[in-house]
Amino acid sequence: SYDGKKITFSVIPIKPNDDLDLGNMQIAVMDADGKNYKKVTTGSGAKLYPTFSHNGKKILYACAAYIREEGKTPAAKYDAWEVNLETGRQTQLTFCEYFYMGNLTYFPDDERFIYYGDRPVKFNDISWYKDEKAFGKLVKDLSAQGKEIHGVVVMKGKELIKNPYVFPEKTFPEKPLLSKDGTKLIYEKSLSAGKFFLYSPDGTHRLVSNSGSVSSIAISPDGQYFGSNFNDSVFVKRISDGTYVRAFFVRRSDKWEESVQKMPYIRLLPRTPSRIINSE
């Protein structure tokens, strides 16, 4: 959470045969010290990528309604949901049945939110499966109004609103990261092998990181730092000048001492954790 007092995460049940029960995932919260663990959602679906609202009263998350029996991706038909932590009410906010979605974040007003949506198949009761031509025309018409339902999408509650961001031509933006105050946006250029840019209203978007293939990314709440993870390492860079400020490695390499001398910001994570929270 933005005040640093709570953590939200996905909980995946284990089936009797030790497989992951993705269809019954839930969102949970706990205090930062591991106390007061509580599941805050119910119902079926693969629930992922939860994020707190600024006031800490809601959690925004993606939910995949369809669990695939085969194929490279385990789930599909993603949409955005939110849960009110005071009432427990769960509300579906989008109805696009995305092939994939992620990077959901509230703007400071806690009503508008931004996310990345890949390959939607529905909108306003028009389905790509039933009428591909009509759906294509709908997407084109919405885009002409400055409203996008694929790529970087901006919503206000259940309403698709005009996207305030204008990206360069032939750039299909992915993985938006928004600072706490909403003034800084970092995005990845599609098919760029991990090139992330700091958005600028005047169009002079600046390259922040050329990270290669990454597993996950993050921006610090104050918008000063960019973090990326791949394989067994985590790197943190200063956004203003692109310099590395910290790197963490899980495994020790043969050239570890030499690497530390050349890059003193590197740290090696201990082989065993210093503390295990809720180990039971």
Side-chain angles (χ1 to χ4, degrees):
S1 57
Y2 284 109
D3 62 9
K5 295 181 179 180
K6 292 191 177 290
I7 298 171
T8 180
F9 51 95
S10 297
V11 177
I12 310 177
I14 306 296
K15 295 180 181 179
N17 64 356
D18 288 335
D19 286 345
L20 298 179
D21 189 1
L22 300 179
N24 284 305
M25 291 175 64
Q26 303 300 339
I27 302 300
V29 298
M30 69 180 183
D31 295 343
D33 61 2
K35 297 179 181 179
N36 297 315
Y37 163 77
K38 178 184 179 182
K39 294 179 183 177
V40 296
T41 59
T42 58
S44 61
K47 303 174 183 68
L48 301 159
Y49 316 124
T51 181
F52 280 101
S53 60
H54 290 69
N55 61 18
K57 295 181 179 180
K58 300 185 295 184
I59 289 177
L60 182 68
Y61 60 97
C63 181
Y66 177 68
I67 306 302
R68 303 180 67 187
E69 297 297 328
E70 57 184 9
K72 293 183 178 180
T73 54
K77 294 186 178 180
Y78 284 88
D79 275 297
W81 288 67
E82 71 178 6
V83 56
N84 186 307
L85 298 179
E86 296 180 332
T87 66
R89 181 180 178 182
Q90 299 166 200
T91 305
Q92 184 173 352
L93 301 177
T94 66
F95 300 84
C96 297
E97 297 186 0
Y98 288 101
F99 177 77
Y100 171 80
M101 74 184 310
N103 295 88
L104 300 90
T105 311
Y106 286 104
F107 283 87
D109 59 16
D110 284 340
E111 295 298 327
R112 295 174 299 149
F113 63 95
I114 189 171
Y115 65 88
Y116 169 66
D118 181 25
R119 284 168 280 181
V121 296
K122 286 183 63 179
F123 190 79
N124 285 353
D125 297 325
I126 298 178
S127 170
W128 178 84
Y129 293 113
K130 295 181 179 179
D131 194 334
E132 183 178 346
K133 185 176 180 180
F135 185 77
K137 182 178 184 302
L138 172 66
V139 172
K140 185 176 180 180
D141 291 344
L142 288 171
S143 182
Q145 301 172 37
K147 300 177 180 181
E148 303 289 348
I149 61 171
H150 62 96
V152 172
V153 184
V154 179
M155 303 278 297
K156 183 177 182 180
K158 297 182 180 181
E159 178 189 2
L160 178 68
I161 62 176
K162 187 174 181 179
N163 195 320
Y165 304 106
V166 179
F167 298 95
E169 292 185 10
K170 298 181 180 180
T171 294
F172 187 73
E174 301 179 350
K175 299 183 178 70
L177 298 174
L178 196 65
S179 62
K180 179 181 178 180
D181 62 7
T183 62
K184 291 184 179 179
L185 174 76
I186 288 178
Y187 69 93
E188 181 184 22
K189 181 181 179 181
S190 179
L191 303 176
S192 67
K195 289 185 178 180
F196 290 88
F197 293 83
L198 176 65
Y199 180 88
S200 177
D202 64 7
T204 57
H205 312 307
R206 179 170 58 82
L207 181 66
V208 170
S209 179
N210 190 358
S211 304
S213 179
V214 297
S215 302
S216 60
I217 53 170
I219 185 175
S220 62
D222 60 11
Q224 293 189 39
Y225 302 102
F226 171 81
S228 60
N229 156 247
F230 54 92
N231 296 330
D232 56 0
S233 58
V234 176
F235 292 92
V236 180
K237 300 180 73 173
R238 186 178 290 108
I239 293 175
S240 61
D241 57 13
T243 59
Y244 286 99
V245 294
R246 188 60 55 87
F248 301 94
F249 289 84
V250 177
R251 304 178 199 171
R252 183 180 295 276
S253 69
D254 295 336
K255 299 180 180 180
W256 174 253
E257 296 301 331
E258 179 184 344
S259 298
V260 172
Q261 292 174 2
K262 291 182 177 179
M263 297 175 283
Y265 55 81
I266 290 180
R267 299 291 183 272
L268 178 69
L269 294 183
R271 293 174 182 265
T272 56
S274 58
R275 182 167 58 129
I276 299 177
I277 297 175
N278 284 335
S279 60
E280 299 179 356

